[in-house]
Amino acid sequence: MTIKKTKEPAFHITGKTGWINDPNGLIYYNGKYHAFFQHNPYDTKWGPMHWGHVVSDDLTNWQYLPNALVPGDDGDKNGCFSGSAIVYGGKLWLLYTGFTENQGGDSIRQLQCLAESDDGITFKKHGIVIGEKDLPEGYAPADFRDPKIWRHDDCFWCIVAARRIDGRGRILLYKSADLFKWEFVGDLFGKDSPGIMIECPDYNEELGYLLYCEQFQPSENGVHLNVHTCRYAIGKIDYAAGKFIESSRGIVDYGFDMYAPQTFTGRNMIMGWLNMWDRNVPSEKYGFSGMLTVPRKVSVVDGRLYQEPLVSCTEAYKTEVNGKLLDNVKRGVITVKTTGLEALEMKMRADGENYTTLTLQNGEWVFDRSKSGEAIVGVEKDADSLSGIRRMPCSDKKDITLTIVMDDFSVEIFEDGRSLTSTIYPPDAADGLELTVKAKNCQYERADIILRA
């Protein structure tokens, strides 16, 4: 299939053409930030997975490099699935899931493969290093994927998503002295997840958090409504026991479209897939499908994951707001700083009958994309989902800062460390912004993204 990209976001990562999903191998190497991602360059739908590759020196302007991994070798004949990266001995190493389909069903194999690079551009594959024989008894090799690697006490460690045969999602811990021979250590939770399958586990030892995605899990009284949800657990791994000791947990994002977040190796930053499974993707007709979120600085405060956007930008406009403000913004960073906030409504990307709204209602932020433009439909059947609505708690602090990162096809909203991320597909001309606020004090700021040709 020949694909021509006719539109794209200004500063969010997409494939050069075609489909992308999970970010992979996020790392700083040889003076550049490297972001790999699941990529089908031949179609705007999911297909034979490659590792797409971009680099940046400012986390905002990204340069395409050749695909780092291409399927077709022993162990990854039908796809190079998600994984992670580590620098060791001056080389860049990728640990990823190889996929072989065979006849489908029980004959599918997802096993962990290794590749290395001297320059961060071309990679030599070493084949399967965590094979079927390395799975503990009772675990399914058909659902064994997405290794996240790190180094601790002169050993390499990785966690891999897995599933018990006739069971649900698990996360397994492995260790290695040399990256090639791996030993099973333990099942981090020791019990089935609520979701059918766990994907994309990620561990940050410095901050003490575990990220993972659950597919087809039950809704929890409105805490989350997406059928597929990203979770975080605060705690630490007991390396001797092979267990995760959890102190608190929550969901990573409150919006429609954020999945598979991964931490940059050695950096307290994450990126995620700015899309979601089981939704239509209106941008297919423009030659691309899927984006990555902007990088986000992460921290842990009082047992909760905090996120802040990291975007290269420059201040363009600042003013005090008393009642209502009108502006024109298609892409950029909007910051609203308030003291004594009582009410707020913001219409974004407005053009006639098309607009996206964010409203403060009964102590929560209510995001509504029902009139944003082209319709986005998912498998969720609850009232909010059918109405294009997602909700996020609002802090009860005296001073509240709301930050919104806007690009051509996305909105990323941040407040008190929480995030709400969603795609939108408004008309090209939609750049109106209308802010109505009731507060003791309110300051509005707009910053332009620093883009290089």
Side-chain angles (χ1 to χ4, degrees):
M1 178 178 178
T2 302
I3 304 171
K4 181 180 179 182
K5 187 190 282 186
T6 58
K7 293 182 183 180
E8 62 182 338
F11 57 96
H12 284 75
I13 295 169
T14 67
K16 201 166 187 179
T17 58
W19 166 280
I20 78 168
N21 55 285
D22 308 351
N24 300 152
L26 304 181
I27 198 163
Y28 188 79
Y29 177 68
N30 278 358
K32 297 281 188 181
Y33 293 98
H34 291 250
F36 304 88
F37 46 85
Q38 292 287 276
H39 181 36
N40 180 6
Y42 310 116
D43 201 340
T44 54
K45 300 184 183 300
W46 187 93
M49 286 292 99
H50 299 53
W51 271 40
H53 189 190
V54 293
V55 293
S56 175
D57 56 15
D58 66 356
L59 295 171
T60 300
N61 292 273
W62 297 89
Q63 173 191 355
Y64 289 106
L65 293 179
N67 288 326
L69 297 175
V70 176
D73 296 280
D74 289 343
D76 64 18
K77 291 179 181 177
N78 301 106
C80 300
F81 281 11
S82 291
S84 53
I86 194 167
V87 177
Y88 181 68
K91 297 182 179 183
L92 181 58
W93 299 82
L94 306 182
L95 187 63
Y96 68 99
T97 298
F99 175 61
T100 57
E101 192 165 13
N102 300 322
Q103 289 77 45
D106 291 338
S107 70
I108 287 174
R109 289 296 180 268
Q110 296 175 9
L111 305 167
Q112 315 322 311
C113 301
L114 184 68
E116 67 170 290
S117 175
D118 292 315
D119 60 8
I121 300 174
T122 57
F123 289 83
K124 175 185 176 182
K125 293 181 182 178
H126 292 287
I128 296 169
V129 294
I130 306 179
E132 192 168 347
K133 63 179 176 54
D134 302 306
L135 267 170
E137 185 177 354
Y139 291 75
D143 290 307
F144 181 43
R145 55 184 179 263
D146 310 338
K148 177 59 188 281
I149 187 172
W150 70 94
R151 195 157 172 80
H152 170 84
D153 284 352
D154 295 325
C155 267
F156 298 100
W157 299 80
C158 78
I159 47 176
V160 191
R163 183 178 59 81
R164 291 279 297 180
I165 296 173
D166 299 324
R168 290 175 175 257
R170 302 291 185 103
I171 301 175
L172 306 184
L173 177 67
Y174 287 82
K175 70 175 181 179
S176 172
D178 63 2
L179 288 170
F180 288 84
K181 296 179 181 179
W182 291 84
E183 173 189 349
F184 170 71
V185 179
D187 183 325
L188 286 193
F189 292 135
K191 61 181 181 180
D192 280 354
S193 69
I196 291 174
M197 182 64 205
I198 284 180
E199 293 190 308
C200 304
D202 180 277
Y203 183 56
N204 183 320
E205 184 173 49
E206 179 183 346
L207 295 183
Y209 66 69
L210 178 70
L211 309 179
Y212 58 99
C213 298
E214 283 188 344
Q215 291 203 322
F216 299 105
Q217 83 285 287
S219 178
E220 298 170 354
N221 298 321
V223 173
H224 65 80
L225 295 174
N226 289 346
V227 168
H228 314 298
T229 294
C230 309
R231 298 183 183 274
Y232 70 81
I234 306 301
K236 63 180 181 180
I237 289 177
D238 180 333
Y239 288 94
K243 300 295 182 184
F244 184 77
I245 311 303
E246 180 181 318
S247 58
S248 60
R249 64 167 47 204
I251 64 170
V252 174
D253 192 89
Y254 289 83
F256 282 97
D257 300 300
M258 207 278 204
Y259 194 77
Q262 184 177 107
T263 305
F264 278 79
T265 299
R267 298 284 201 280
N268 293 326
M269 304 186 307
I270 65 171
M271 292 177 74
W273 180 36
L274 209 168
N275 218 317
M276 185 58 67
W277 299 114
D278 296 307
R279 301 227 200 289
N280 67 310
V281 185
S283 66
E284 284 183 330
K285 61 180 169 291
Y286 305 137
F288 80 94
S289 191
M291 303 171 274
L292 301 187
T293 68
V294 296
R296 301 172 178 190
K297 178 184 176 182
V298 288
S299 57
V300 174
V301 181
D302 297 329
R304 182 159 67 81
L305 186 72
Y306 274 62
Q307 303 175 59
E308 305 171 46
L310 294 170
V311 185
S312 181
C313 58
T314 183
E315 182 181 303
Y317 178 58
K318 180 188 292 188
T319 188
E320 297 294 322
V321 182
N322 184 10
K324 182 175 287 190
L325 172 139
L326 300 178
D327 199 1
N328 295 95
V329 190
K330 186 172 183 178
R331 56 181 77 106
V333 180
I334 301 301
T335 305
V336 181
K337 299 178 180 180
T338 65
T339 299
L341 179 63
E342 296 183 31
L344 184 148
E345 180 181 46
M346 183 184 295
K347 288 186 177 181
M348 300 167 279
R349 300 300 305 278
D351 178 37
E353 296 181 353
N354 293 116
Y355 50 84
T356 300
T357 62
L358 180 69
T359 310
L360 180 59
Q361 298 180 17
N362 300 318
E364 63 182 4
W365 299 107
V366 179
F367 172 83
D368 186 344
R369 69 177 182 185
S370 62
K371 298 181 180 179
S372 294
E374 297 184 65
I376 309 167
V377 180
V379 296
E380 294 84 3
K381 301 303 179 186
D382 61 279
D384 271 2
S385 296
L386 294 175
S387 299
I389 288 173
R390 283 292 178 265
R391 304 170 187 268
M392 180 174 75
C394 178
S395 68
D396 57 2
K397 297 176 180 178
K398 177 183 177 182
D399 298 318
I400 290 177
T401 298
L402 179 69
T403 303
I404 302 175
V405 180
M406 299 168 57
D407 203 346
D408 295 56
F409 305 104
S410 62
V411 178
E412 298 176 68
I413 300 167
F414 302 85
E415 194 270 313
D416 195 31
R418 299 182 179 93
S419 69
L420 190 159
T421 305
S422 289
T423 55
I424 55 172
Y425 296 93
D428 283 345
D431 67 352
L433 185 144
E434 180 180 314
L435 173 64
T436 305
V437 62
K438 182 179 181 182
K440 184 177 180 181
N441 299 107
C442 177
Q443 180 175 276
Y444 171 89
E445 301 175 10
R446 168 166 44 82
D448 292 337
I449 307 299
I450 300 175
L451 297 175
R452 298 197 297 261

